[in-house]
Amino acid sequence: MKKDNYKWIALSCTTIGALFSVLSGSTLMIALPVIMKDLNASMNVVTWTIMGYMLAMTILVPSIGRMADMVGRKKLYVSGFALFTVASLLCAISQTGVQLLIYRLIQAVGGSLMVANSTAIVADAFPKKELGKALGINSMIISIASVIGPILGGFLINVGWRSIFYINIPIGIIGTLWAAFQLKETSVLSEKQKFDIKGTLTFSTGMLALLVALSFGGFIGWFNFAVIGLIAVSIALLWWFVRIENKTEEPMLDLRLLKTRVLAFAYASNLLNGVARGAVTFLLIFFFQGIKGIDPIVAGMLLAPMAISMMIISPISGYLSDKYGARILSSVGLLVSAIGLLGMMFITSTTSVAELVIWMLIMGIGSGMFFSPNTSAIMGMVPANKRGVAAGVRTMATNAGNVLSIAISMAIISSSISPDAMQALFIGTQVGSEGIAIGQFVSGLRMAFTISFIFSIIAAVISYLRGPEPVWSQEENAA
């Protein structure tokens, strides 16, 4: 098989995986109210079917990326596809909310195996000068899935919520077989490598404590004893993790990825962008349902403009980053996102849907300008034998930012809305402003969007301040 043909085949494999995992998540969000009633599940269990998946992905992806650098990306990617497919079947036949939660966590392991390897597989297959274009196409497909997901979910609810998981099975079987027969191991694997078990366990436990604390902080208060205790434990464990990695010959996470200014700033801008935009759709769903009284499925569809503009811009920005570099495009993209957030900072109870659509379009353009070039910069700057963990850290930074963003927003919103109204709005069983202090609620939204705007500006500055490319050893570059 010619290398030129193989790169497009590799991209098709990872694109099916991206479409698969994003569609699964976006269709499920719409179905939560129906699932809650049918399985007689509690609010906590239903919430954790979403949050648990996100937390598991954030924690697992870096260590799986390191494992892929050791044993090969194809094996883990195909295994992830197969596991995700089997877990979809288990989710479809769940009889209780707890069963669904457990099977979703199994799905998260499969999703982590796919996500940790997909970007690295593309980076292995494409030459550096075409990497931005390839990643832009991947981002475009993810955006398409974000647009289609709520619409498909609304249609499938009429068939039955279990069909949301059943539809994954034929796609999963095709994707697994296509990847198994078409993907190749293109990176040269070093022999007799050791897996850093001590570092992996310390990192995973520390990240779990931190993310659970951030998740619960918005619900039960930031000064709750349990939240403070978890944050203290996470700081101690992550500090110990850094000490372990500095003394280990073959660490789980090569800290040069974070010590090198250009990579550290690219990762930091990824994290801050996650904080800036992670809760935007979450907040707008509350506004559309709680203030405008719009049906949950229609409210989900109204978020499409952000994904559509991102879908159009992502491949273009990826192509341009191959020609002109990532620094300016990424930084300008974050500034454009900030303009969209600036518009949302002045939201009122009478703000029209049309006006919000304009701000969402601008945010989508900015996000499309940022993601592909920034990812291309990260993946193009590391040697082949570091791409798995480099991609894993990038995904972890984005997901951690999203979790923090939602936690901050929950803390702000919970002060202006009754617990019953929040629960009803969150799962879509209430449409309208009953139980909401509208003035306080809108002020809370403004505060949340203001914080997001500030983080987006900081992210733009950090993105622009990235320095020269890192210097790796000849052995690492040869790999």
Side-chain angles (χ1 to χ4, degrees):
M1 190 187 298
K2 291 182 179 178
K3 185 173 176 63
D4 202 54
N5 291 335
Y6 174 71
K7 66 186 180 185
W8 296 112
I9 289 170
L11 183 62
S12 73
C13 291
T14 59
T15 299
I16 293 171
L19 185 69
F20 187 45
S21 56
V22 174
L23 262 182
S24 179
S26 55
T27 51
L28 180 62
M29 282 291 285
I30 294 295
L32 286 180
V34 179
I35 292 172
M36 186 172 180
K37 290 174 193 170
D38 190 51
L39 296 181
N40 196 25
S42 68
M43 169 69 176
N44 284 338
V45 169
V46 169
T47 304
W48 275 91
T49 58
I50 300 296
M51 290 297 289
Y53 184 91
M54 190 187 299
L55 295 179
M57 288 272 286
T58 307
I59 293 160
L60 292 174
V61 162
S63 52
I64 288 173
R66 168 60 184 149
M67 202 182 300
D69 288 335
M70 292 172 60
V71 304
R73 317 200 202 289
K74 175 182 174 178
K75 296 185 190 79
L76 297 185
Y77 185 80
V78 174
S79 301
F81 230 130
L83 183 60
F84 197 98
T85 306
V86 171
S88 295
L89 174 61
L90 293 173
C91 288
I93 61 175
S94 298
Q95 298 302 309
T96 67
V98 174
Q99 279 185 8
L100 179 61
L101 172 58
I102 292 167
Y103 298 145
R104 275 287 286 171
L105 292 175
I106 296 172
Q107 249 192 351
V109 177
S112 299
L113 287 163
M114 287 196 291
V115 168
N117 289 285
S118 59
T119 308
I121 287 169
V122 173
D124 287 343
F126 279 81
K128 188 176 177 180
K129 63 182 180 181
E130 295 180 7
L131 187 54
K133 177 174 65 177
L135 293 169
I137 293 169
N138 238 351
S139 296
M140 179 181 71
I141 298 299
I142 290 170
S143 300
I144 292 171
S146 301
V147 175
I148 295 171
I151 300 168
L152 181 64
F155 170 75
L156 291 175
I157 286 170
N158 296 321
V159 179
W161 67 264
R162 295 179 191 275
S163 62
I164 286 173
F165 294 107
Y166 280 128
I167 202 172
N168 285 343
I169 297 167
I171 302 171
I173 292 170
I174 293 167
T176 302
L177 293 174
W178 180 248
F181 287 113
Q182 297 295 335
L183 283 180
K184 298 188 297 185
E185 290 291 0
T186 56
S187 58
V188 179
L189 304 174
S190 303
E191 294 181 1
K192 296 179 181 178
Q193 294 189 80
K194 293 180 182 177
F195 188 69
D196 178 17
I197 296 174
K198 191 188 293 185
T200 300
L201 289 175
T202 309
F203 173 82
S204 300
T205 310
M207 282 300 294
L208 178 63
L210 177 62
L211 293 172
V212 169
L214 294 176
S215 302
F216 278 110
F219 288 98
I220 63 176
W222 295 103
F223 296 103
N224 182 281
F225 180 76
V227 172
I228 294 171
L230 283 170
I231 290 174
V233 167
S234 71
I235 291 170
L237 285 172
L238 293 174
W239 171 80
W240 184 245
F241 166 73
V242 172
R243 293 201 60 175
I244 290 170
E245 298 306 271
N246 280 326
K247 294 177 181 178
T248 304
E249 285 186 23
E250 296 178 28
M252 182 210 98
L253 175 58
D254 190 331
L255 293 178
R256 282 178 294 173
L257 294 174
L258 303 177
K259 288 177 180 175
T260 307
R261 178 172 158 177
V262 64
L263 287 169
F265 280 38
Y267 283 131
S269 57
N270 231 61
L271 174 70
L272 293 168
N273 182 59
V275 178
R277 72 184 296 274
V280 170
T281 54
F282 182 75
L283 292 169
L284 288 174
I285 284 283
F286 268 89
F287 181 79
F288 288 145
Q289 288 183 223
I291 304 300
K292 294 297 186 184
I294 295 171
D295 175 81
I297 295 174
V298 177
M301 292 177 185
L302 284 173
L303 300 173
M306 197 182 305
I308 289 169
S309 56
M310 187 174 168
M311 174 186 76
I312 295 167
I313 297 298
S314 289
I316 297 171
S317 67
Y319 171 77
L320 291 174
S321 72
D322 290 333
K323 296 188 73 173
Y324 305 110
R327 183 186 180 195
I328 300 296
L329 274 169
S330 297
S331 307
V332 171
L334 289 165
L335 288 175
V336 172
S337 287
I339 292 170
L341 288 164
L342 180 64
M344 292 181 189
M345 280 166 52
F346 298 97
I347 194 170
T348 67
S349 58
T350 58
T351 299
S352 68
V353 171
E355 183 181 334
L356 288 175
V357 165
I358 291 170
W359 299 128
M360 282 190 281
L361 283 168
I362 293 171
M363 270 205 73
I365 291 169
S367 296
M369 289 177 69
F370 170 74
F371 276 116
S372 304
N374 197 64
T375 305
S376 177
I378 291 169
M379 300 309 296
M381 287 177 193
V382 296
N385 67 336
K386 304 287 183 194
R387 284 177 184 154
V389 73
V393 173
R394 185 196 70 84
T395 303
M396 181 192 72
T398 301
N399 285 354
N402 289 339
V403 170
L404 181 56
S405 185
I406 291 171
I408 292 170
S409 300
M410 286 302 300
I412 293 169
I413 287 178
S414 61
S415 63
S416 61
I417 183 170
S418 72
D420 289 342
M422 179 181 285
Q423 174 171 322
L425 278 171
F426 191 73
I427 61 167
T429 55
Q430 175 185 312
V431 174
S433 57
E434 186 180 345
I436 300 174
I438 293 176
Q440 282 180 270
F441 180 69
V442 172
S443 295
L445 284 180
R446 286 182 183 171
M447 173 66 73
F449 286 131
T450 300
I451 292 169
S452 292
F453 169 77
I454 292 167
F455 273 107
S456 197
I457 292 293
I458 295 170
V461 172
I462 287 176
S463 176
Y464 185 74
L465 291 176
R466 64 184 75 189
E469 292 194 15
V471 178
W472 303 95
S473 70
Q474 289 183 347
E475 291 82 6
E476 287 168 325
N477 279 315

